[in-house]
Amino acid sequence: MSSSPTLTSRLKGRSELGVALLLGAAGVLVLVDAIALVTPYSQSDPVGPKTLPYIVSGLLLVCAVLLAINVLRGGQGEAEGGEDVDLSHPADWKTILPLVGAFVANILLIDWAGWVVSGTVLFWGSAWALGSRHYVRDGLISVGLAVLTFYGFYLGLGIPLPAGLLEGIL
Amino acid sequence: MDVFSSLMDGFATALTPMNLLYAVIGVILGSAVGVLPGLGPAMTIALLLPVTYVLEPTSAFIMFAGIYYGGMYGGSTTSILLNTPGESSSVVTAIEGNKMAKAGRAAQALATAAIGSFVAGTIGTALLAVFAPIVVEFAVSLGSPSYFAIMVLALVAVTAVLGSSRLRGFASLGLGLAIGLVGMDSVTGQRRLTFGQPLLADGLDIVVVAVAIFAVGEALWVAAHMRRTPLHVIPVGRPWMGKQDWKRSWKPWLRGTAFGFPFGALPAGGAEIPTFLSYVTEKRLSKHPEEFGKGAIEGVAGPEAANNAAAAGTMTPLLALGLPTNATAAVMLAAFVQFGIQPGPLLFANEGPLVWALIASLFIGNFLLLLINLPLAPMWAKILQLPRPYLYAGILFFATLGAYSVNLQAFDLVLLLVLGALGFMMRRFGLPVLPLILGVILGPRIEGQLRKSLQLSAGDPAGLLGEPIAVSIYIILALILAWPLIFKLVRRNRPAAAGPVPATEAAPAAPSGSSVHADLPVHPDGAAHTGSSIHSQSSGKPDSNVQSDGSAHPDKKETP
């Protein structure tokens, strides 16, 4: 790793180093947080609340370093397969981003507009992002699911999901 | 009270019409989600946790028992009809099962899987009923140092033995333990990792974490790599077996059970190793070895039985020690805690009726599975055709609903998304999910036992070694951790045995080492797209396994 050309070529296609970075960051975070705890020594609790965080941050930092070394030497984590997973093409961000968008829309809407509206947006948006183009059928399913779960949770389980904008109608 | 009369009382509880109904719901739900890709029994139970608060704990656990066994069976249906196993435990089933289905013997493959699961599940549950009280008797004499050691062993063993890369396993464990730290410290009330955010003071709800990692992570991951070509599902009629099939199946069922239960009951349980051992054994013992690789029924019967017996075995440490060794058991442990029930040796004493009803319902669930799934197999095959946009949109929809309904706060949904992104990343870079979940659930319990142990010894670390059981567990632990090293030394001293190099190192856990792996046929259509460890072993990728520990190795391919 002495000269920069080798370094750049080594870094190329090593997105997994990001995982090592994340582990390292998590380790530092846990460590800093543990140091900041103020606890007087107590006879009844000699271990205290700091010990486990120290161990965990140590584990994370060691893993971060070993993973970085492993990746730089050509190691690679194996991406997970599955029934509907086709690893032969690269990650399809055109699907993920709208999907995350639908999810975020639900978070923003749920308290204000209520579950029936936000849940409809979530299902319809997710189905659209995943490639469904039956707009009307998707819409009907979305509304049906959202209304059904709203009443199911309210009447069946006694959990009041927010009604939001439709307060008084539902 | 002796086992038998307790068990009969359990049946009396479990067989009331309402509880029987919950068992039926559980089995159907479990089979459906087992068949559907992207969902598993662990996630289903996690999603149902908030819903089941209104139920009696007994009814809830009866339903969970149905989901547990149903999910196992559903998974094997997919392997046989699709050749793309959803879980690592049904990888082996796919090898022969799918060949049988392609040869027009799908009905027999499904039948031997269903009946074998029933036989193994019933024997396994009987063993559970006999052994769990014995383990409890032994366990009540253990103190905190031993419990601490057992929990550490479970975490390390699951992390080090399962999965293809130990290093990535420990990384996942570290993340899980860190997530488990968030919130108020139970002894001193100090806030850890809350960043001044009052909503984090109670810690992260296990439902939110489990649903995020299992469901949201999976949905995002599949969305990124959606298979555009439709899957080819082999059509199937009602499962049945001929006389010859019975004759060839019953011995593998029993042998598979014998492999499965002990492995399931061990802290480093899991169904991968026993299913694999069962496959190899059946191949050796078969009178029709030439059929292996072309659809031998023994190769379905044995591993399926092993899989279900392991599932029953897993319940032993869960009920007797409060120690989960797979994802479903971990979520069930969370469920116990949420119902205010303390799992562990005192469970049998304090909640006897509930435990025995749960065990009885495992028997009932097994029987229902056979009764329901033989006629319904064609319907499960149809469920596989559900349009994928609806399936994954539905998973996100119900994940959101489940996570939100715990506390009714939108903040949990933000956590859901963030942890879902973490789940996505873990799938992308081959970090196993199970150590993380176990870390989240066991982390706080381990800390509790650690503090109790050292409280007794006034802070002297020697207190951890205060019990002989604890000492022996640490020795086992050291052996597990040092195993790859020992293995390497042994191999260096016996160069003759070093034949299939990448394959031998692949599974430090498989006791018979190289010969086992050399026997497994390279699985042509599975190897490319399943992330299971077994496929990677048979395809002999040089850098997927032990070398990932970052240790220097002569075979290492240095990338320039």
Side-chain angles (χ1 to χ4, degrees), chain A residues 33-145:
Chain A
D33 186 79
I35 291 173
L37 293 176
V38 191
T39 30
Y41 179 81
S42 124
Q43 189 64 46
S44 63
D45 182 27
V47 175
K50 291 179 162 205
T51 310
L52 189 67
Y54 283 143
I55 299 173
V56 172
S57 77
L59 175 67
L60 283 167
L61 291 173
V62 168
C63 283
V65 172
L66 289 180
L67 188 68
I69 295 173
N70 178 258
V71 172
L72 286 173
R73 295 172 100 180
Q76 226 176 358
E78 219 180 305
E80 193 180 276
E83 283 103 332
D84 288 339
V85 174
D86 178 6
L87 291 175
S88 58
H89 63 80
D92 175 11
W93 294 102
K94 278 186 193 149
T95 307
I96 299 184
L97 291 179
L99 197 63
V100 172
F103 200 95
V104 171
N106 172 55
I107 297 176
L108 296 175
L109 285 175
I110 193 162
D111 284 334
W112 173 70
W115 167 250
V116 173
V117 175
S118 71
T120 304
V121 171
L122 173 67
F123 189 91
W124 192 88
S126 306
W128 181 83
L130 290 162
S132 176
R133 291 295 176 268
H134 304 274
Y135 301 108
V136 178
R137 191 174 77 182
D138 296 357
L140 290 177
I141 296 177
S142 313
V143 174
L145 270 179

Side-chain angles (χ1 to χ4, degrees), chain B residues 197-283:
Chain B
Q197 172 64 263
L199 289 171
L200 286 175
D202 289 334
L204 299 179
D205 202 292
I206 188 64
V207 173
V208 176
V209 178
V211 169
I213 299 285
F214 288 126
V216 180
E218 179 76 13
L220 293 177
W221 176 238
V222 173
H225 292 279
M226 187 81 101
R227 193 187 296 278
R228 296 297 173 195
T229 46
L231 287 166
H232 176 64
V233 182
I234 297 168
V236 64
R238 194 191 159 125
W240 60 277
M241 293 206 298
K243 199 177 164 200
Q244 194 61 27
D245 298 321
W246 281 96
K247 226 172 128 187
R248 289 176 60 180
S249 288
W250 72 270
K251 278 185 201 157
W253 288 340
L254 295 182
R255 282 193 289 259
T257 309
F259 277 122
F261 186 82
F263 271 96
L266 284 176
E272 284 177 44
I273 299 164
T275 49
F276 187 68
L277 287 178
S278 162
Y279 179 82
V280 176
T281 311
E282 294 315 327
K283 195 179 173 190

